[in-house]
Amino acid sequence: QLERQLLMQNEMRERQTAMQIAWTREFLKYFGTFYALAAAGLTAGAIKRKNPGLLVPVVPLSFIFAYQYDMGYGTLLQRMKGEAENILDTQSALLQLPKGPLSYEELEKIRRSQSKFVIEK
């Protein structure tokens, strides 16, 4: 039973990750088109008006485009996975919950206090 539950959770996680990557790739198509049109228009305007200041918006748009491309087609997810594994292996103290893990007794105490609050209303 537990093994089936774990397999199902893993399958759901994989499907959610696949959907995230697919969404990023689809977003990249639209954003890439916007980026290309904006960069071409701003470049043409900068040349026509002899004002290089018009190219300033291309800089942050380039970072957004690069991030989305790396997320959809690059190695961003693999680098994030590697960093997460590094944190789990070498910096596990960062993962500790405040006041430690929640115990069954604490959970019951919270539940009882909330149920008393609901009854008093």
Side-chain angles (χ1 to χ4, degrees):
Q1 173 101 11
L2 180 61
E3 187 176 345
R4 283 180 38 193
Q5 213 173 19
L6 290 172
L7 286 171
M8 187 160 112
Q9 284 178 346
N10 191 47
E11 182 68 24
M12 290 302 294
R13 184 196 54 79
E14 287 178 356
R15 288 180 185 203
Q16 287 173 338
T17 302
M19 282 297 294
Q20 180 183 1
I21 294 168
W23 183 90
T24 300
R25 289 179 179 180
E26 192 63 27
F27 176 80
L28 186 61
K29 292 175 189 173
Y30 289 95
F31 185 77
T33 302
F34 165 75
Y35 174 75
L37 291 172
L42 290 169
T43 302
I47 292 170
K48 185 175 180 181
R49 295 184 182 179
K50 296 181 182 175
N51 182 2
L54 290 174
L55 293 174
V56 171
V58 173
V59 175
L61 290 175
S62 297
F63 280 101
I64 296 168
F65 182 78
Y67 174 82
Q68 291 295 331
Y69 182 85
D70 195 20
M71 182 73 160
Y73 295 101
T75 59
L76 178 63
L77 289 176
Q78 291 156 347
R79 292 192 315 269
M80 288 170 53
K81 180 182 170 210
E83 184 62 24
E85 289 172 352
N86 179 47
I87 290 168
L88 288 169
D89 292 341
T90 63
Q91 300 173 331
S92 60
L94 296 175
L95 306 175
Q96 301 301 317
L97 294 170
K99 297 184 178 182
L102 190 60
S103 70
Y104 178 77
E105 290 80 18
E106 291 171 316
L107 190 59
E108 281 298 305
K109 183 179 175 183
I110 293 168
R111 186 188 62 79
R112 281 193 297 270
S113 69
Q114 288 178 347
S115 67
K116 287 178 186 176
F117 180 70
V118 171
I119 293 169
E120 291 174 6
K121 283 186 176 179

